[in-house]
Each structure stands twice: as C-alpha cells, then as structure tokens.
Amino acid sequence: IKNLTKTRYISKDFLQHDEKYDYIIWFFPFVTEFPLQEWGLPLSKFKPAEMLKHAYESLNSGGKMLIVNQDQKEYAIQENLLKNLSINYDKRGEFINSFLEYEHKRCVTIVSKGS
C-alpha cells in the first residue's frame, strides 16, 4: 500500500484505535473461535460483535466498509452480527476470481453508513 495515498495498514488493537475513515476494507474477520486460535491469538481477543460495531462507528458519515468472509458459514455468521447490531448491509455473495481458485469461497458484504 506504500504507493496508495491516504492509505495505511494499522497493526495494533483496532478497538484501541479512534480515527474515522471514508473506507474500511476488512478481509476475513474472526467470526468463529477456531481461526483465531489457529493464528495463535488468545480467546480474550475474540470479540466479533464489538469489533464490527467499532468498525462501523469508525466510518465517517457516507463511509463504506467492504467485508470479505471465507466460506458460506462465516458469511452467515457475519450477516447475523450485522442484523444483531442493526447495521444496514448489502450482501453481494460469492466473489469470483478468474485468475485464482480458492480452497474456500470468498463472500462479500458492503456496509454503508448513512449521511
């Protein structure tokens, strides 16, 4: 991302981050405990609803968030999180990549924060 202006990767606890953004791109959020543990993270860091709420609140008015989940199961869990938090979203379904074949389907959701 070094050549993308106004773009940066944040490598700290997102829940401790308080800036606002026009766009958030969120690849493979932890929505189940197993992947979190596979990455070596403690269960104390498993806070999918809190993370999603904070991400939404981190959007500027009119901002957008693109969420990519890995498989239909995680996609359904993500949808339930959005519903439970009363966040409006647009399910875009499976992401088809004509260059690469993934072991697990990639599914896309777009969240828009009203202005």
Side-chain angles (χ1 to χ4, degrees):
I1 63 172
K2 69 180 180 179
N3 294 322
L4 298 174
T5 60
K6 297 184 181 180
T7 302
R8 63 192 167 108
Y9 178 82
I10 301 167
S11 60
K12 68 177 190 176
D13 185 344
F14 182 61
L15 292 174
Q16 303 301 314
H17 191 74
D18 61 357
E19 293 184 43
K20 298 285 187 183
Y21 298 95
D22 292 324
Y23 301 99
I24 295 174
I25 300 173
W26 197 355
F27 289 100
F28 314 126
F30 293 118
V31 295
T32 64
E33 294 175 351
F34 179 75
L36 179 101
Q37 292 174 309
E38 286 293 299
W39 279 75
L41 298 171
L43 280 177
S44 63
K45 297 297 181 185
F46 183 67
K47 301 175 183 180
E50 190 176 343
M51 291 282 289
L52 179 57
K53 181 179 180 203
H54 186 69
Y56 183 75
E57 291 171 350
S58 296
L59 288 172
N60 286 319
S61 181
K64 295 190 182 295
M65 177 169 36
L66 180 125
I67 305 170
V68 180
N69 296 102
Q70 182 172 261
D71 72 30
Q72 292 291 338
K73 177 184 172 188
E74 290 191 3
Y75 191 47
I77 293 168
Q78 186 73 60
E79 181 177 21
N80 285 332
L81 289 166
L82 289 159
K83 284 180 181 178
N84 290 340
L85 292 169
S86 299
I87 295 174
N88 291 324
Y89 61 94
D90 181 13
K91 286 179 69 171
R92 294 296 176 102
E94 185 180 347
F95 171 76
I96 306 295
N97 185 334
S98 58
F99 297 105
L100 295 171
E101 187 173 319
Y102 300 116
E103 179 180 347
H104 303 284
K105 293 180 179 183
R106 285 9 183 188
C107 302
V108 176
T109 302
I110 297 176
V111 171
S112 299
K113 189 168 186 180
S115 42

